[in-house]
Amino acid sequence: MRIGELAQRTGVSTRSLRYYEQQGLLTSERTPGGHRDYPESAVDRVIRIQELFAAGLHSSKIAVLLPCMRDADGGPSEIATPRLVTDLTAERDRIESMITDLVRSRDVLNEVIDTAADRNG
């Protein structure tokens, strides 16, 4: 499929798809006319990349992680290594810490909102 179709099917801009290729996260073949041609599996790959970016991982970490994941279900492949487990555990812990901080910030905001609402209500 061409880049425009992949962008439409995944909701990701063509610019981002080109960036993913530049970073080694996504590959395509070239048609005789020089257009990118992606396999059907690219849809799952792009969705997986988006999920990993949303989790706060950087492209360099995603590049290491992707070969260790199956695109269709995101499960681990047979080439996942103990080093990868260590790295991913650290990433998970970082995300957990961010979640804790966000919950704390939300709770403070809720208190301020409640106090302001009580005064004005």
Side-chain angles (χ1 to χ4, degrees):
M1 84 187 77
R2 296 267 176 98
I3 193 168
E5 181 182 350
L6 182 59
Q8 182 180 17
R9 290 180 60 186
T10 60
V12 175
S13 70
T14 57
R15 182 177 181 185
S16 291
L17 295 174
R18 287 186 198 98
Y19 173 77
Y20 297 167
E21 277 196 62
Q22 180 185 14
Q23 298 300 307
L25 306 177
L26 185 65
T27 59
S28 67
E29 299 292 324
R30 294 290 182 155
T31 66
H35 297 283
R36 288 175 171 84
D37 185 32
Y38 295 95
E40 184 65 30
S41 62
V43 172
D44 288 334
R45 171 62 56 113
V46 170
I47 290 168
R48 182 75 49 231
I49 292 167
Q50 286 290 287
E51 291 170 345
L52 294 170
F53 273 126
L57 276 70
H58 298 285
S59 59
S60 59
K61 184 67 71 175
I62 293 171
V64 171
L65 176 59
L66 280 176
C68 299
M69 297 175 73
R70 295 186 304 260
D71 283 331
D73 63 5
S77 76
E78 295 74 30
I79 65 170
T81 65
R83 170 63 191 239
L84 180 65
V85 171
T86 300
D87 289 349
L88 292 177
T89 300
E91 288 294 331
R92 184 199 56 211
D93 293 346
R94 182 186 63 78
I95 291 168
E96 287 289 341
S97 178
M98 289 174 58
I99 290 169
T100 300
D101 292 344
L102 287 169
V103 167
R104 190 173 319 130
S105 296
R106 183 197 61 203
D107 291 346
V108 168
L109 287 173
N110 283 336
E111 289 176 22
V112 171
I113 290 167
D114 291 344
T115 300
D118 289 344
R119 277 196 210 153
N120 297 317

